[in-house]
Amino acid sequence: MKKRLFLPAMMFIAMSACSKNDKESVILQSQTDSSLQGPIQKPVSGYGSDGGYEVAEIDFANPQYAGTEVSIFYPKGITSPRPTIFFSHPYGGESKDYNIGLYNFIAKKGYVVVFVPYRTIDISVDHRYQTLWEGFVKAAADYPNIIDTRKVGFMGHSFGGGASIGLAYKAFTEKGWGQNGRFLFTMAPWYAFNWSSNLTTEQQLQNFPSNTKMISQVYDEDDVNDHRLAIDIYKHINIPNSEKDFIYFKSSTINKYNYVTDHAMPSSRQAYDALDYYGVYRLLDAMIDYSFNGNVNAKNVALGNGSAAQTTMPSYNGQTMPPLEVTDNPAPKYPQSNYQFQCSNSTNPRISYCE
């Protein structure tokens, strides 16, 4: 049986950072290249299957977090810049090992991902956003031979899921990133704050560029972040239903192994299993192909509006994981008392939009 751990949230302090220390290396083979936990293994073909590239990594000093490094994972041997995912981690996920499986997967498929650690203990939410932003911008400015800002995705989990909204809006509208393809991919998002903008979060949501795509995921056993937080953003963002999907995951037990859909999903450092590959990586893979390459078959997987190609999950010896639930009109299934961070909490700047 697998167990997951949620790391402590909501603590505040700050520091700024400095010196440059660039290095490049090919990433060693890790547990993420071996078999998955549980009976169901990685897909061997199609979306969600591993790509054929080796993974290379560049690290440089984090501009806003002394003693840490921003990491760029990319396909080894590329000769031109590639579409890039800017990833915002959850509280406590400051180590790149926390989601190394995700970063390796993206780079193996031929794309780039940028990881910026921010302090779990920081002076403010604003400074966490600033840390992420400055790391992303420096990576793009210093490595234009690797990062193609014309095709960009913003992806995040928990705090990072909420932060991705404002960060993406700033990048899309002020920097012009994603002019040839852009998407959002949020997982169990925390509160979304207005940052470095004269616009409210609602004004930002209503003015997202028309070519933005979106996947929003929530997990049934998550008792940390109220699903209403994801529902609020999903319903108010200016993306047509045809270009976004709200996806709900259910847990299951297959061959006595528990596939748990709690707040720690996905995390290479905790459980690394078929939920990660079939529920997250597979849809991300298809979203990248649709957003950046215009592949209509990819849309049927990433944004299939409940298509079999999108919702069907794998099986083992006649036992099948429950299908993904997909909707354009999400509604909460549990009362707010079920969650640590409730939508109606005074911390939430969008408290008036709670359902």
Side-chain angles (χ1 to χ4, degrees):
M1 179 181 296
K2 80 176 179 183
K3 295 182 180 179
R4 294 185 184 268
L5 173 68
F6 175 66
L7 299 170
M10 285 305 293
M11 298 172 282
F12 301 93
I13 209 181
M15 266 180 114
S16 60
C18 48
S19 70
K20 180 162 182 166
N21 176 26
D22 291 352
K23 62 183 180 180
E24 179 174 356
S25 63
V26 177
I27 298 178
L28 299 176
Q29 297 295 308
S30 68
Q31 65 170 355
T32 60
D33 291 315
S34 61
S35 61
L36 301 180
Q37 293 173 248
I40 300 173
Q41 296 305 299
K42 300 176 182 179
V44 296
S45 62
Y47 295 116
S49 62
D50 282 337
Y53 288 91
E54 286 187 72
V55 182
E57 177 182 353
I58 289 175
D59 302 308
F60 61 86
N62 191 336
Q64 283 290 324
Y65 188 177
T68 68
E69 294 179 317
V70 175
S71 297
I72 304 172
F73 301 88
Y74 65 99
K76 183 184 178 184
I78 58 173
T79 57
S80 61
R82 296 296 177 93
T84 300
I85 314 303
F86 294 92
F87 185 82
S88 299
H89 67 80
Y91 284 127
E94 297 178 26
S95 169
K96 61 189 174 187
D97 292 340
Y98 191 87
N99 279 117
I100 192 66
L102 175 65
Y103 311 146
N104 282 344
F105 178 82
I106 293 169
K108 285 180 183 178
K109 298 296 284 195
Y111 303 99
V112 179
V113 59
V114 179
F115 165 75
V116 179
Y118 61 81
R119 288 182 179 275
T120 300
I121 303 175
D122 208 335
I123 52 169
S124 66
V125 167
D126 281 357
H127 190 253
R128 293 190 189 93
Y129 279 47
Q130 182 182 356
T131 301
L132 289 164
W133 177 255
E134 291 194 19
F136 292 155
V137 170
K138 183 171 176 58
D142 289 359
Y143 298 96
N145 59 319
I146 293 174
I147 294 172
D148 182 0
T149 57
R150 296 170 301 177
K151 296 181 177 181
V152 165
F154 277 79
M155 185 176 189
H157 176 226
S158 193
F159 177 90
S164 291
I165 305 302
L167 293 169
Y169 183 81
K170 186 176 179 70
F172 296 162
T173 60
E174 295 184 16
K175 289 285 189 180
W177 291 4
Q179 58 186 289
N180 294 338
R182 49 173 68 108
F183 70 81
L184 289 166
F185 195 119
T186 64
M187 300 172 286
W190 194 64
Y191 307 123
F193 286 81
N194 175 43
W195 171 76
S196 186
S197 174
N198 293 325
L199 301 180
T200 65
T201 57
E202 185 65 10
Q203 289 171 324
Q204 290 179 341
L205 291 172
Q206 290 300 310
N207 287 282
F208 255 80
S210 59
N211 69 335
T212 309
K213 327 294 185 191
M214 182 179 190
I215 286 176
S216 179
Q217 294 188 346
V218 296
Y219 311 122
D220 183 66
E221 292 182 283
D222 182 2
D223 59 3
V224 177
N225 289 344
D226 192 341
H227 290 175
R228 291 163 182 80
L229 305 178
I231 291 170
D232 162 34
I233 298 299
Y234 185 85
K235 287 189 172 182
H236 287 88
I237 197 166
N238 181 39
I239 300 175
N241 287 344
S242 62
E243 302 301 311
K244 65 180 180 180
D245 273 336
F246 190 93
I247 302 174
Y248 191 94
F249 284 66
K250 287 185 175 180
S251 301
S252 61
T253 300
I254 306 292
N255 199 37
K256 299 182 180 180
Y257 176 85
N258 292 335
Y259 287 97
V260 179
T261 55
D262 64 3
H263 189 67
M265 178 187 170
S267 164
S268 308
R269 199 165 60 183
Q270 301 300 322
Y272 187 63
D273 58 28
L275 276 174
D276 298 309
Y277 258 83
Y278 289 87
V280 179
Y281 299 2
R282 178 176 63 95
L283 298 185
L284 173 63
D285 192 3
M287 178 65 112
I288 290 171
D289 195 16
Y290 173 54
S291 299
F292 300 155
N293 304 320
N295 188 326
V296 293
N297 292 324
K299 181 179 183 180
N300 194 42
V301 176
L303 299 173
N305 197 33
S307 69
Q310 181 186 35
T311 62
T312 301
M313 294 291 277
S315 60
Y316 178 84
N317 284 352
Q319 301 177 63
T320 303
M321 298 175 72
L324 303 177
E325 293 184 8
V326 179
T327 181
D328 287 327
N329 188 30
K333 297 190 177 186
Y334 301 111
Q336 292 197 46
S337 58
N338 193 60
Y339 303 99
Q340 181 179 354
F341 295 104
Q342 300 172 10
C343 193
S344 61
N345 190 299
S346 59
T347 303
N348 183 13
R350 293 185 54 81
I351 188 171
S352 61
Y353 295 100
C354 296
E355 291 194 357

